Structure formats: structure tokens, C-alpha cells
Amino acid sequence: MRVLLTGSTGWLGRTLATRLREAGHSVIGLDIAPGPDTQIVGSVADRNVVQQAFASGIDAVIHAAALHKPDIVRYPEQAFTDVNVTGTLNLLQAAKAAGHDRFVFTSTTSLMISQSVRDEAGDAAVWLDEQTGPLAPRNIYGVTKLAAEGLCRIYAHEHGLPCVVLRTGRFFPEDDDTHTAPLGENLKANELLNRRLTVEDAADAHVAALNRAPELGFDLFVLSAATPFHRSEVRELKADAAAVIVRYFPDAADLYAAKGWSLPSSIGRVYDASHAERRLGFRCATGFAQVLDALRESRPLPFTHDPGYTSPALAK
């Protein structure tokens, strides 16, 4: 297929472009920043740019372009509406007009985090899956991504365009701008227990969604590394996460100590990706177990950490 990939210069886009070509697809990249995988430089918010992309003969769309949470301090709220909502609508309208049978939309687990969930004030970890609600996103990023999900649902149910929505957990390579300890690789390793996946797994999930969209019609999936935890453990995870972790991984504390790392003492939320495993047939290849394997065998860690990474669109 000839796949229009929006956000093709970004962290996910560049990995996804490679995965799509490996699967035998042709990739037409669209991004506001130039890059080796981007043939069309422009914004999805511009209907003329979208029409230009479709004029080249497109069979399917993977819509990964967006303004993200770090962009809140750099762009006005209207820009989020223009890119994340109007841009999605422009692509859906064009795909419907072209008679497509698949549309994949990159969403975010961030829209599931209300202020109360973020505060983690309760005595139990919050278990988050596709049934979690009512949703109350805490910023313009989450609000606009939730609105875009709604547009995908409408176009699937009312216009017959199969749409798959992927709510991805964290996969960014840079440091977290909201945490002070632990930092860097230690934090990313910890998050693979409950809220993170690798960019490679995120890309592979999009390819799986592209393949399965016609038979799924519409579906929405939380994407994160498979958690080892069970819903029955939410109070233990909040009170003493390290004890629960060692129950599953007896040598984790020693491996961490040798690295100078710390296990989380408390976990306040867990993303459950089991629906994707059951219905999409996708399970992340990399999780916390693979991190421990790398530590045992003194191999490179199975995820990317790049504290100097800057989004290409913001680097100009």
C-alpha cells in the first residue's frame, strides 16, 4: 500500500517509516519539519496540503502528527485545535472521499489522566484501560486528542471508514520534565512496569493496526509494555511497590543496586494493554523483564535514552 504517514520527521514517525517499508509498503511522509522520510512539508491543518498529499495516490493513512504536551508552553490553544482536531478532520474527510478502508490514529494515554489521577492521592494505584471514564483531560493537549478520537469514532460508525485509535503510553527519548528523581534510564526502566513502551513497539503496533483495521471497523487500544501486575494488587502497589516487584522479579533489587538505581517505592497508576493483546493480536516485545535481562548480561538497555533530543519541529 501507499501509506500517508503524518508526523514522519518525529521520533515515532522516523521509526514507523522504516517499519512500514520493511512490511512492503510505500511511505509518503508529511510533516511541518523536513526530514529524510518526509516528502511533503506542511501542516495537516492546511486542507490544501492534505489535498496535495492525497493527489499523489494514497491507499491508507497513519496519522501520527500532533502538537504534544511539551508544546503547551510554546503554542497558543488555538494551534492545538487547528492541528490536533481540524487536522484530523481534514485527513478523515480526504480518506473517506478516497474510499479508503483503513485509518490509524495515534492518540495518547495522557488524555486519561485527570488531575485527581495525576495527584495520586488515594490509597490504591489507579488501573487504566479502555473502559476508564468519565475522562477529564487536564490540559489542551488531552482535550484536543480526545476530540480527535471522537472524530475517528464518528467516521467509522457514520461514514464506514474503519479507524483504529492507539492510545500510546510514554516512548519519548528525552528526560521527563516533571520528575527530579529517579532520572534518565532509571526512570524509563521503572516506567516499563506500568506506563511506557519502546518506540519500536509503538511503531510495530501501528503496522498491526494498519493490517487489522478493515476487520476491526472501529476500536481503541491502550498501548504500553505488558504489566506484570494484577488489578488485585493496586493497594500493595501504592503502599510498597518494591515489595510487589521483587515478588515477580526476585533479583531486581540486587540488579538495580549494582547499577546504582532505585526501584519505585510507590506506583500510582497502571496501564492495562491486555485489550490490544486479545483483539489486535499485539503485545509489546520489550518490557521490564527485558531490562533485567540486559542488566544480568551486561548488555545495552533495550530502550533509547537521549537527554539531548529535541523535536525537529521545535529545533528550527
Side-chain angles (χ1 to χ4, degrees), residues 265-276:
S265 59
S266 178
I267 289 177
R269 72 188 79 156
V270 177
Y271 296 148
D272 180 355
S274 59
H275 178 55

Side-chain angles (χ1 to χ4, degrees), residues 88 102 134 194 299:
T88 303
R102 65 198 75 205
N194 65 308
R299 291 188 283 103

Side-chain angles (χ1 to χ4, degrees), residues 1-5 24-28 53-62 94-96 98-104 161-162 210 214:
M1 288 183 289
R2 287 175 57 82
V3 180
L4 176 63
L5 172 62
H25 303 297
S26 298
V27 178
I28 298 87
F54 273 77
S56 64
I58 301 299
D59 300 312
V61 175
I62 296 181
K96 174 182 175 292
H100 286 184
D101 66 351
R102 65 198 75 205
F103 187 102
V104 179
L161 173 61
L210 182 72

Side-chain angles (χ1 to χ4, degrees), residues 110-178:
S110 179
L111 62 79
M112 304 167 68
I113 310 304
S114 64
Q115 190 59 49
S116 62
V117 172
R118 188 173 189 271
D119 290 342
E120 298 184 355
D123 62 356
V126 180
W127 198 266
L128 296 162
D129 61 19
E130 294 80 4
Q131 304 307 311
T132 298
L135 299 177
R138 69 186 188 282
N139 54 40
I140 190 66
Y141 170 51
V143 167
T144 53
K145 293 297 277 188
L146 182 58
E149 286 188 1
L151 290 172
C152 291
R153 189 185 306 271
I154 286 173
Y155 267 73
H157 292 163
E158 296 186 4
H159 300 291
L161 173 61
C163 294
V164 178
V165 174
L166 302 178
R167 284 185 185 165
T168 60
R170 293 176 159 208
F171 56 81
F172 55 80
E174 65 267 34
D175 282 317
D176 187 328
D177 61 0
T178 62

